[in-house]
Amino acid sequence: MTVNAYGAHAGDQPLEPLQIIRREPGAHDVQIDIAFCGVCHSDLHQVRAEWEGTLFPCVPGHEIVGRVSAIGAHVNGFKAGDLVGVGCIVDSCKRCDDCLEGLENYCDGMVGTYNFPTPDAPGWTQGGYSQRIVVHERYVLRIRHPEAQLAAVAPLLCAGITTYSPLRHWNAGPGKKVGVVGIGGLGHMGIKLAHALGAQVVAFTTSDAKREAARQLGADDVVVSRNAEEMAAHAKSFDLILNTVAAPHDLDAFLVLLKRDGALTLVGAPASPHPSPNVFNLIMKRRSVAGSMIGGIAETQEMLDFCAERGIVADIELIRADEINDAYARMLEGDVKYRFVIDNATLAD
Ligand code: NAP
Ligand code: ZN
């Protein structure tokens, strides 16, 4: 079937309306009419070919929410009308240790929601800036939030799980001091989730104007990272610092804020490398620099349920599909509070 979408034909071209083909649902497939799709900075990196290997035409979008409109003959977990989500993963090998442990995000055969090889036309996956998607049921998430919150749930499918997973892995909770660097789509969810998990939360920002807003998101303290005195006040005190920044920068400024055995965990994925950290800042206090990528399907469901129980959603700005190029420009200026979400109804003819 042919559906309307928004995508780009080359890395230096704006996104524009185009049409893509979705497969008919197979026995284990769920067909979803997409209601909303969040706009992740990864979409921008990928569609502008800032990372290697973008396949064009490229339709980004991996923060997908909507309603089931058809199911395959062997689908048991979902029925037409269900509110569901799809994040960054639409397939994996299902057999390796990572898949068997529910960590499909680390499977070597993971198929991302866009720009990954697939037998479907045109040969690579196409994402959620589109009217409809067809996904194997294993990778479909159940949404238990009220429908009125659906648009603000969309960013949980990437920004939510990408911050929840490392917060859980590094045991953010009562008695732990957690920093979140960069108050964008990921960072604002990191602040909300670390606060909800019971940690003491400090937000780091380059934008003085975000100071008050960060407190409202749940930060106990806010540091403007260009201010050396404010930074020094937190020396050697953090158990975990989650770094969401989308551009290369000095990591040592954050490493020295970790206490013994603390971890600086990078989730931001800038197109060019950070300057190497000073080894002495690692060995002196047995500190580590680590990374983390999205999260597994079971953990994503756990995060969605955790958020539904506590009424946690993203702070969003709803846009029409034809506003996406302006939205990218504003995202690069840090001018979004804190996630753009596309109203996919605006893709209709
Ligand atoms: P975003 O909404 O643009 O937020 C990034 C934030 O980083 C900005 O709001 C800004 O916060 C800060 N920042 C940006 N440029 C900076 C600079 N030059 N120096 C210092 N701070 C800067 O982006 P996002 O959607 O949250 O994504 C963030 C990064 O995570 C992207 O690289 C994305 O590709 C990556 N990502 C990784 C995963 C994963 O699995 N690891 C998943 C999703 C996204 P302040 O104004 O507060 O300083
Ligand atoms: Zn993302």
Side-chain angles (χ1 to χ4, degrees), residues 40 42 62-63 88 158 339:
C40 179
S42 300
H62 56 207
E63 294 184 339
C88 305
C158 176
R339 196 59 136 186

Side-chain angles (χ1 to χ4, degrees), residues 19-209:
Q19 292 202 310
I20 58 171
I21 296 169
R22 293 298 189 195
R23 67 174 183 261
E24 295 301 325
H28 292 281
D29 282 340
V30 176
Q31 174 183 297
I32 301 157
D33 288 353
I34 304 174
F36 303 101
C37 183
V39 178
C40 179
H41 206 116
S42 300
D43 301 350
L44 186 155
H45 289 308
Q46 190 84 68
V47 80
R48 295 201 169 164
E50 292 176 0
W51 295 337
E52 279 176 30
T54 305
L55 300 161
F56 292 99
C58 173
V59 174
H62 56 207
E63 294 184 339
I64 296 167
V65 292
R67 265 189 200 286
V68 175
S69 51
I71 54 167
H74 294 152
V75 171
N76 297 317
F78 300 96
K79 59 179 188 322
D82 285 351
L83 280 185
V84 294
V86 175
C88 305
I89 308 170
V90 291
D91 208 354
S92 63
C93 85
K94 309 179 186 73
R95 291 182 303 273
C96 69
D97 288 349
D98 295 322
C99 284
L100 295 175
E101 284 177 49
L103 293 169
E104 302 87 348
N105 48 319
Y106 296 116
C107 168
D108 290 335
M110 184 199 101
V111 178
T113 305
Y114 56 83
N115 205 60
F116 275 69
T118 169
D120 300 348
W124 54 93
T125 49
Q126 306 271 25
Y129 300 2
S130 60
Q131 290 178 302
R132 186 173 270 180
I133 193 165
V134 178
V135 180
H136 188 290
E137 65 172 327
R138 177 182 171 138
Y139 307 92
V140 178
L141 288 311
R142 187 166 293 285
I143 291 171
R144 298 189 166 89
H145 287 77
E147 188 176 0
Q149 292 184 320
L150 196 56
V153 170
L156 302 183
L157 275 305
C158 176
I161 185 60
T162 301
T163 49
Y164 182 83
S165 184
L167 288 170
R168 297 280 290 157
H169 184 77
W170 276 273
N171 300 313
K176 295 290 173 74
K177 184 170 173 184
V178 173
V180 178
V181 188
I183 311 176
L186 266 55
H188 97 288
M189 285 311 310
I191 295 169
K192 288 187 188 211
L193 292 168
H195 175 74
L197 288 165
Q200 181 193 348
V201 186
V202 178
F204 292 90
T205 181
T206 56
S207 318
D208 202 36

Side-chain angles (χ1 to χ4, degrees), residues 214-271:
R215 285 189 181 276
Q216 281 162 20
L217 293 168
D220 299 290
D221 199 358
V222 185
V223 170
V224 173
S225 50
R226 301 186 206 280
N227 184 320
E229 259 177 51
E230 283 184 50
M231 293 287 276
H234 290 275
K236 300 180 193 167
S237 66
F238 286 90
D239 297 282
L240 169 67
I241 300 179
L242 191 60
N243 189 329
T244 76
V245 174
H249 61 279
D250 171 29
L251 299 182
D252 285 305
F254 296 103
L255 273 177
V256 297
L257 305 188
L258 294 172
K259 64 185 189 194
R260 177 173 51 79
D261 292 326
L264 172 63
T265 298
L266 308 179
V267 290

